[in-house]
Amino acid sequence: MKAYRAEADTLTAFIHQYRRSTGNRLLDVACGTGLHLSYLKHRFQVEGLDLDEQVLAIARQRNPGVPWHHADMIGFDLGHTFDVVTCLFSAIGYVKTPENLSRAVQCMAQQPFPLSLQAQCSRGQLHWPFVNLDAKIPPDVNVLIFS
C-alpha cells in the first residue's frame, strides 16, 4: 500500500525548503481520491483538481470542506493563484504527449510556487508512464521533481 502520510511529510519538507511564497495555499492537480490531501490539509489550505468526476466524489466524501475542481490539467483557470501546486503519483503521465505536457506545465506555471512533479528522473530526463521526453520547463519556474 502507498505511504500517503510519509509522502505528505516528505513533500511538506521540500515545500518549506524551496518555497518562494509566505502563503499557504496548495493545489493538487490530478488529485484522484484525495488521499494526499487528507494529510496535507492539516498543514496547508488545500484544493484538489481532477478530470474524473467519480474520483472527485470519493475525494469529497473523504475530505468534506475542501474545494474540489472538475477540470483538465492541460487547461484550467480557477480564478485565483496558489503558493504551491503538486501533481503526484506520476499523474502527470496522463497527459500522454509532449504537447500536452507542455500545456499542463505552462498552465500550472502561472502560479508563484514551487511546482512539484512526482516522476522517475535521471540525467535531466523525465520518464512518464506513457512517453519519455526531455521536459521543457520555463527557466523562471521553480520546479521540484522527486520520485
Side-chain angles (χ1 to χ4, degrees):
M1 178 159 193
K2 192 157 174 57
Y4 289 92
R5 180 185 305 270
E7 287 186 359
D9 291 344
T10 299
L11 179 59
T12 298
F14 281 135
I15 289 168
H16 289 305
Q17 182 177 353
Y18 293 102
R19 76 179 347 163
R20 293 182 185 175
S21 169
T22 58
N24 206 33
R25 298 189 67 181
L26 182 144
L27 174 66
D28 188 15
V29 174
C31 63
T33 61
L35 278 168
H36 283 108
L37 293 182
S38 294
Y39 299 102
L40 293 169
K41 70 183 179 185
H42 302 292
R43 303 166 187 163
F44 301 95
Q45 183 182 347
V46 300
E47 297 186 28
L49 179 146
D50 204 285
L51 184 59
D52 187 333
E53 188 59 55
Q54 291 179 330
V55 299
L56 283 175
I58 296 168
R60 286 183 185 102
Q61 288 180 332
R62 181 172 281 141
N63 297 290
V66 170
W68 302 100
H69 306 280
H70 181 238
D72 192 330
M73 75 172 88
I74 66 170
F76 66 91
D77 180 1
L78 302 181
H80 54 277
T81 60
F82 295 86
D83 303 293
V84 177
V85 175
T86 62
C87 188
L88 303 171
F89 202 19
S90 297
I92 193 71
Y94 288 107
V95 299
K96 296 186 182 179
T97 67
E99 295 79 20
N100 283 347
L101 174 63
S102 179
R103 290 174 64 193
V105 170
Q106 289 296 327
C107 192
M108 290 183 264
Q110 295 176 24
Q111 310 292 326
F113 59 75
L115 169 65
S116 175
L117 301 175
Q118 184 183 43
Q120 299 298 321
C121 72
S122 63
R123 295 186 184 207
Q125 185 109 23
L126 305 179
H127 304 282
W128 312 113
F130 302 108
V131 62
N132 291 340
L133 55 106
D134 186 12
K136 304 295 188 241
I137 310 283
D140 59 335
V141 174
N142 185 11
V143 179
L144 171 61
I145 301 169
F146 68 99
S147 58

